[in-house]
Amino acid sequence: MLASKTLLSKQTLAVLSRQPACFVHHGDYGNWGNTNIAVVFSGCGWWDGTDVHEGVYTMYHLSRNGARFQMFAPNQQQMHVMDHMRKQPGSGENRIYDYFWPSHRNMMMEAARFSHGQGMTQMQDLSKLDVNSFDAIIFPGGHGITKNLCSFVKDGKDFKLHNDVERVLKEFHRSRKPIGLASMAPMLACRVLPSIEVTMGYEKDDNTRWGNWPNTNMVQAVKSMGARHNVREPYEAYVDEKNKVVSTPTFMWETEYHYHYIFDGIGNMVKHVMRMSTK
């Protein structure tokens, strides 16, 4: 009987020893809390800000890999507010709608929907981001990239970056700190960092029953800026080791069901950012 109890105790301990997440999860790179990542948002919502899935997946994978992170967004008005049901800018035809969803919103206030709790998890003004306080920076995707963080939607190939976006990209690159970019975000880095290598997925819209690539015009835009584009699947990441830039196509690929591909793409990007930030 005593021998049976001893054997059971050993088996229990063996099982528990294989479950570090139940107690303290140290992540795949470094020790818990030693890496501090800045995450930049452009609002809240795929059509006029940061995509909800990409933003949440980014924070999940940072947490899973043992990183601390701080959220930032510009404290300025976004380009417009989209009706995500009709996929068009909100109009004045519905007074109740306009009362609750005004046509102009502040990016930082909208992005604060991603935050939870107090202190470091609160949304911060992007103008206060200090490169010396962080080991890497990540930009989740969404149309806020091309509407709010730069003027691509308005100005096309002659677009300009938001001043603080340009500043932090140059500072992290100059400091040899990793830069993570999801879906449309490579547009930002390619504008100000010469000759980097990125992926935004496919270079032409190969429509299949699994999904399609409707924003390939942005791929042509980054190539015209002198960047080298590499074709990758939505669940993959491309690593420019020389410039410490990691990109993933994610929702450049439009899909109705296969969100796990987006989750995996963000995860691969985050893991490479973490790997390079510990060097």
Side-chain angles (χ1 to χ4, degrees):
M1 185 69 175
L2 182 60
S4 298
K5 289 184 177 180
T6 302
L7 178 60
L8 180 60
S9 298
K10 289 182 178 180
Q11 290 175 337
T12 303
L13 288 172
V15 170
L16 291 175
S17 68
R18 296 196 297 270
Q19 305 296 324
C22 295
F23 300 99
V24 179
H25 181 82
H26 291 287
D28 295 330
Y29 298 99
N31 293 320
W32 178 269
N34 283 353
T35 305
N36 197 18
I37 311 293
V39 184
V40 180
F41 295 82
S42 59
C44 183
W46 169 248
W47 289 105
D48 56 13
T50 294
D51 178 72
V52 173
H53 304 89
E54 293 194 19
V56 171
Y57 293 168
T58 297
M59 293 186 286
Y60 168 87
H61 283 292
L62 286 171
S63 175
R64 173 56 67 190
N65 284 280
R68 290 180 295 126
F69 57 87
Q70 176 68 64
M71 296 179 282
F72 293 89
N75 186 15
Q76 293 180 11
Q77 197 172 87
Q78 62 188 50
M79 176 180 164
H80 61 196
V81 176
M82 290 287 288
D83 179 340
H84 280 62
M85 289 287 289
R86 295 182 292 180
K87 298 180 177 60
Q88 63 186 37
S91 65
E93 65 187 38
N94 187 324
R95 292 184 178 180
I96 295 177
Y97 180 94
D98 286 344
Y99 178 81
F100 288 104
W101 295 281
S103 58
H104 298 289
R105 298 187 190 181
N106 179 283
M107 278 184 271
M108 191 170 76
M109 291 177 65
E110 285 296 288
R113 297 172 185 273
F114 286 98
S115 62
H116 192 277
Q118 303 295 320
M120 291 295 290
T121 61
Q122 288 186 312
M123 191 63 59
Q124 301 293 322
D125 189 337
L126 182 59
S127 66
K128 298 178 181 179
L129 196 162
D130 180 5
V131 66
N132 297 311
S133 299
F134 296 91
D135 301 296
I137 189 169
I138 292 177
F139 289 80
H143 283 275
I145 293 289
T146 59
K147 294 178 178 180
N148 304 331
L149 301 190
C150 76
S151 63
F152 179 76
V153 168
K154 290 182 178 179
D155 301 327
K157 63 182 179 63
D158 299 319
F159 74 93
K160 293 180 174 59
L161 267 59
H162 183 284
N163 290 338
D164 283 316
V165 172
E166 180 172 351
R167 172 183 64 83
V168 297
L169 281 169
K170 288 181 175 178
E171 288 178 350
F172 274 85
H173 187 252
R174 192 181 305 119
S175 301
R176 299 288 300 156
K177 294 182 177 182
I179 299 171
L181 308 163
S183 69
M184 302 174 183
M187 296 276 293
L188 306 173
C190 292
R191 192 59 168 171
V192 294
L193 306 179
S195 304
I196 64 172
E197 297 186 30
V198 297
T199 185
M200 296 177 75
Y202 284 21
E203 297 186 357
K204 61 180 181 178
D205 187 3
D206 290 331
N207 193 355
T208 71
R209 67 191 181 99
W210 303 112
N212 64 299
W213 301 85
N215 297 300
T216 54
N217 63 312
M218 297 181 191
V219 177
Q220 303 309 316
V222 301
K223 292 172 70 175
S224 71
M225 288 184 273
R228 178 181 175 184
H229 183 262
N230 299 270
V231 174
R232 289 293 185 275
E233 298 293 341
Y235 50 81
E236 295 180 303
Y238 182 82
V239 184
D240 181 345
E241 296 281 355
K242 177 181 177 182
N243 290 291
K244 290 195 170 186
V245 174
V246 187
S247 50
T248 179
T250 56
F251 272 125
M252 288 293 284
W253 182 60
E254 191 171 279
T255 179
E256 293 186 5
Y257 305 109
H258 296 82
Y259 283 23
H260 60 287
Y261 284 177
I262 313 307
F263 181 86
D264 292 343
I266 295 287
N268 285 324
M269 178 265 288
V270 166
K271 285 184 178 181
H272 283 293
V273 167
M274 294 286 291
R275 172 179 62 82
M276 289 193 290
S277 67
T278 58
K279 288 184 176 180

